[in-house]
Amino acid sequence: MVKGNLTVISDFIFLGFTDYPKVKVIIFVLCLLMYLITLLGNIILISITILDSHLHKPMYFFLSNLSFLDIWYTSSALTPMLANFVSGRNTISFSGCAVQMYFSLAMGSTECVLLSMMAYDRYVAICNPLRYPIIMNKSVCVQIATGSWVTGCLSALVETVSVLHQSLCGNSIINHFTCEILAVLKLVCVDTSRVQLIMLVISVLLLPMPMLLICISYAFILCNILSISSVDGRSKAFSTCTAHLTVVVLFYGTALSMYLKPSAVDSQEIDKFIALIYGGLTPMLNPIIYSLRNKEVKAAVKKLLIRNPLCVFLIPSNK
């Protein structure tokens, strides 16, 4: 990326939360806790889905993919900020900014597609239980997961390259705590209509479209659940789907408010806190929501921890 006078920019400066000096330490502590809990929770979830043969099912295969990308997602979003706070520096190199932007976009875009595929998985499991093992066989699950990752990575590459090839006008100060694409785009002094169009098309394909698929899937699921005569059966089906819907509302709600809000609404300070929610809070809550509301996961955790008595304090409560 170059300035208007073709001077090469080698570093960017983050403003971060400098407007809130009294709460900077609190924000750092909260972000550090979110990051550590995210790492621990998702690593445990990945481990038990690999080690417990009872969890070798499509649902947990997708859940492992979700946990893996959440680790990368929150690492790309929060690690540089935490490192800068500890070191007292608030700069990042051009290449570092490019890598950070790409990974954040790639993991976020992949999660958009993966969540919709998980909704389809729940639709097949509940509405076509007898054909479920045939429809969602191992080969299909691998193809769905691969397609989600490829879609997310390619779309992120297109967005990152299109933004970082623009010219600046002597400004390398990013009003954010990370190389968030919208914050970097504000530094561009040339016409950005083409870049904005590319971002709009990708955002529509990766946000409203997957959400529409999720809504359709759960509309069929709801109709099927209501037709179940057994109260216990309805309760189990609702419980299975509630966890996924909670994650969807948290993730898509913040992402939509960030990337598809009207252009007239522009509050960089609000965007920072929204970025903390979908970059830190949501990845932290994913393993907690799935494990606390899933009896199979809790049983697998208990079996794993019984083999390792030193970790017995981590056993979730049955209450």
Side-chain angles (χ1 to χ4, degrees):
M1 183 181 284
V2 296
K3 298 180 182 179
N5 60 4
L6 300 181
T7 302
V8 177
I9 289 180
S10 58
D11 294 289
F12 291 100
I13 302 172
F14 292 130
L15 287 184
F17 295 96
T18 52
D19 291 338
Y20 309 95
K22 295 183 179 179
V23 296
K24 282 179 64 177
V25 176
I26 296 176
I27 293 175
F28 169 78
V29 172
L30 289 177
C31 289
L32 180 60
L33 287 175
M34 285 192 297
Y35 182 58
L36 294 177
I37 294 173
T38 299
L39 287 182
L40 179 63
N42 284 293
I43 288 174
I44 290 176
L45 206 49
I46 293 173
S47 299
I48 62 175
T49 54
I50 293 175
L51 297 175
D52 195 312
S53 60
H54 295 93
L55 300 183
H56 291 176
K57 303 175 182 177
M59 174 181 171
Y60 301 106
F61 171 74
F62 294 131
L63 186 55
S64 296
N65 275 267
L66 181 63
S67 294
F68 182 75
L69 72 86
D70 274 342
I71 291 174
W72 282 97
Y73 191 21
T74 192
S75 295
S76 63
L78 297 184
T79 302
M81 183 189 70
L82 296 174
N84 286 342
F85 185 92
V86 173
S87 65
R89 299 172 63 251
N90 60 344
T91 61
I92 188 171
S93 65
F94 172 80
S95 58
C97 184
V99 171
Q100 185 184 55
M101 183 188 298
Y102 172 75
F103 272 101
S104 294
L105 287 171
M107 298 303 104
S109 300
T110 302
E111 184 159 347
C112 288
V113 182
L114 188 60
L115 287 175
S116 65
M117 293 298 98
M118 292 174 70
Y120 174 73
D121 172 71
R122 291 299 84 208
Y123 158 73
V124 177
I126 294 174
C127 299
N128 296 281
L130 297 180
R131 299 182 59 198
Y132 179 66
I134 300 174
I135 297 175
M136 299 301 293
N137 58 64
K138 184 177 181 181
S139 176
V140 170
C141 291
V142 171
Q143 290 174 14
I144 289 176
T146 302
S148 300
W149 282 93
V150 171
T151 301
C153 292
L154 288 180
S155 62
L157 182 62
V158 171
E159 289 184 290
T160 302
V161 171
S162 64
V163 170
L164 293 181
H165 267 76
Q166 302 301 307
S167 298
L168 303 182
C169 290
N171 187 8
S172 60
I173 300 176
I174 301 176
N175 188 14
H176 213 285
F177 62 86
T178 183
C179 281
E180 203 277 326
I181 189 169
L182 295 178
V184 175
L185 191 60
K186 293 180 186 297
L187 306 182
V188 178
C189 62
V190 298
D191 181 28
T192 60
S193 57
R194 183 170 176 270
V195 177
Q196 290 178 341
L197 178 61
I198 293 174
M199 291 177 59
L200 178 62
V201 171
I202 292 177
S203 296
V204 170
L205 291 176
L206 294 180
L207 288 172
M209 294 299 290
M211 276 198 68
L212 179 61
L213 178 59
I214 291 172
C215 291
I216 293 174
S217 297
Y218 275 96
F220 282 107
I221 289 173
L222 181 59
C223 292
N224 188 272
I225 290 176
L226 293 177
S227 66
I228 299 176
S229 58
S230 169
V231 176
D232 290 338
R234 285 200 299 268
S235 176
K236 183 178 180 181
F238 271 120
S239 178
T240 301
C241 298
T242 301
H244 183 220
L245 283 176
T246 304
V247 173
V248 167
V249 170
L250 283 171
F251 182 78
Y252 279 100
T254 52
L256 283 170
S257 64
M258 185 79 171
Y259 292 102
L260 289 180
K261 65 183 178 182
S263 56
V265 179
D266 185 15
S267 176
Q268 196 64 37
E269 299 306 315
I270 294 176
D271 287 350
K272 294 177 189 178
F273 288 99
I274 292 177
L276 281 180
I277 294 175
Y278 72 73
L281 183 61
T282 305
M284 180 191 74
L285 292 178
N286 282 351
I288 296 175
I289 290 172
Y290 279 108
S291 62
L292 290 180
R293 297 192 61 85
N294 192 301
K295 293 181 180 180
E296 288 182 314
V297 172
K298 289 194 288 186
V301 171
K302 286 185 178 182
K303 286 194 295 184
L304 178 64
L305 296 178
I306 287 173
R307 299 170 188 168
N308 300 273
L310 293 178
C311 300
V312 72
F313 63 89
L314 291 175
I315 298 178
S317 171
N318 284 324
K319 297 180 181 180

